[in-house]
């Protein structure tokens, strides 16, 4: 049986998993979960994901949730094919990939996900927008991106001179941010901008982003 991803093509966390699968040249099937009708909160789905979120990966009798963990699993499972996303054979490089995977998750994601919610998701669903949250997270994300700017001035990618899962994990939220006025956070930092243009033009993400239509 092949891999099954339960999710929605427009969702950032699903897009992260799909991008990793395509980079790894893995076969998969996307099983749509209808968030609008609350399918993710029904018992059948909660049996796969106890927190009732997307995505979930099923690989035979193994069920995984948390998009970054799924992307790492896929990178290990297909270590001999596709892009080497974790630098498994090089301890030093693998250590640095681990660091920048954590930076994305702990520093970058909290700020950018709050911004994308306010700037893209809330308006798309007619929910209220909170300017104070936009301001706080613009400042937070700017500080994180100052660190990225310095890092990327001496390394082509975050973990070194190779594309890795650390870079890939940034793609979906940044894609939506770039459709807003806050794209300037990326564009006004030349090394961050060059990095973004490079990673977002990889064929795997170009394919996935064709179905990311949140906010029109
Ligand atoms: C977050 C999953 C998540 O927020 C991960 O998989 O990386 N840390 C987790 N999923 C959202 C869609 S964002 O693409 C979701 O399922 N939202 C619906 C809900 O929480 O009810």
């Amino acid at each position: 049986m092949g891999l099954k991803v339960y999710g929605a093509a427009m969702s950032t966390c699903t897009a992260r998993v799909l991008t990793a699968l395509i980079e790894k040249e893995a076969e998969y099937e996307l099983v749509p979960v209808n968030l609008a009708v609350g399918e993710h909160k029904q018992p059948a789905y909660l049996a796969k994901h106890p927190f009732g979120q997307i995505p979930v990966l099923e690989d035979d009798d193994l069920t995984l949730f948390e998009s970054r963990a799924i992307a790492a699993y896929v990178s290990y499972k297909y270590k001999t094919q596709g892009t080497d996303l974790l630098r498994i054979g090089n301890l030093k490089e693998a250590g640095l990939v681990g660091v920048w995977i954590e930076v994305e998750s702990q520093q970058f994601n909290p700020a950018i996900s709050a911004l994308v919610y306010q700037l893209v998701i809330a308006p798309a669903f007619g929910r209220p927008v909170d300017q104070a949250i936009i301001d706080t997270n613009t400042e937070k994300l700017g500080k994180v991106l100052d660190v990225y700017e310095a890092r990327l001035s001496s390394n082509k990618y975050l973990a070194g001179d190779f594309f890795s899962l650390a870079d890939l994990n940034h793609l979906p939220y940044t894609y939506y941010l770039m459709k807003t006025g806050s794209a300037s956070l990326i564009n006004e930092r030349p090394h961050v901008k060059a990095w973004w243009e490079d990673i977002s033009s990889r064929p795997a993400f170009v394919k996935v982003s064709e179905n990311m239509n949140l906010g029109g």
Side-chain angles (χ1 to χ4, degrees):
M1 193 180 85
L3 298 184
K4 276 190 188 173
V5 180
Y6 293 81
M10 70 168 69
S11 118
T12 48
C13 301
T14 305
R16 180 175 294 121
V17 166
L18 300 184
T19 308
L21 284 162
I22 298 172
E23 286 283 357
K24 296 307 294 174
E25 298 167 7
E27 299 278 321
Y28 68 90
E29 178 196 349
L30 176 62
V31 183
V33 177
N34 191 340
L35 300 191
V37 300
E39 196 183 334
H40 55 313
K41 305 296 181 194
Q42 299 303 313
Y45 188 81
L46 289 170
K48 301 182 197 305
H49 192 321
F51 297 103
Q53 291 186 315
I54 54 171
V56 157
L57 178 85
E58 268 181 6
D59 183 5
D60 212 348
D61 62 350
L62 177 69
T63 304
L64 299 177
F65 55 91
E66 285 296 342
S67 61
R68 294 167 184 82
I70 296 171
Y73 170 79
V74 166
S75 308
Y76 284 119
K77 179 173 168 102
Y78 298 102
K79 62 172 181 271
T80 59
Q81 68 184 60
T83 310
D84 180 5
L85 294 172
L86 290 175
R87 314 300 281 190
I88 293 165
N90 183 322
L91 187 59
K92 204 167 155 184
E93 290 179 354
L96 286 163
V97 172
V99 168
W100 288 94
I101 284 176
E102 288 300 318
V103 171
E104 184 279 327
S105 164
Q106 304 296 324
Q107 309 279 353
F108 179 87
N109 187 70
I112 198 167
S113 59
L115 269 181
V116 166
Y117 179 83
Q118 295 297 327
L119 298 172
V120 181
I121 300 172
F125 291 95
R127 298 184 199 149
V129 171
D130 186 330
Q131 189 59 44
I133 296 180
I134 296 176
D135 295 345
T136 309
N137 287 287
T138 298
E139 199 191 331
K140 262 199 205 170
L141 187 61
K143 285 186 178 155
V144 174
L145 291 174
D146 285 342
V147 175
Y148 281 38
E149 182 65 9
R151 174 79 186 159
L152 293 167
S153 67
S154 52
N155 297 274
K156 189 160 186 231
Y157 299 98
L158 288 170
D161 286 328
F162 48 86
F163 176 77
S164 76
L165 191 57
D167 305 293
L168 184 154
N169 281 346
H170 290 76
L171 286 165
Y173 273 108
T174 311
Y175 176 78
Y176 282 128
L177 186 81
M178 294 309 284
K179 296 188 171 300
T180 74
S182 298
S184 54
L185 282 163
I186 302 292
N187 289 332
E188 69 197 10
R189 293 173 172 85
H191 293 97
V192 173
K193 180 173 193 279
W195 167 77
W196 167 251
E197 283 168 0
D198 178 326
I199 66 173
S200 62
S201 61
R202 294 177 67 84
F205 187 68
V206 169
K207 184 162 185 234
V208 169
S209 63
E210 279 163 8
N211 296 315
M212 293 174 69
N213 302 318
L214 249 179

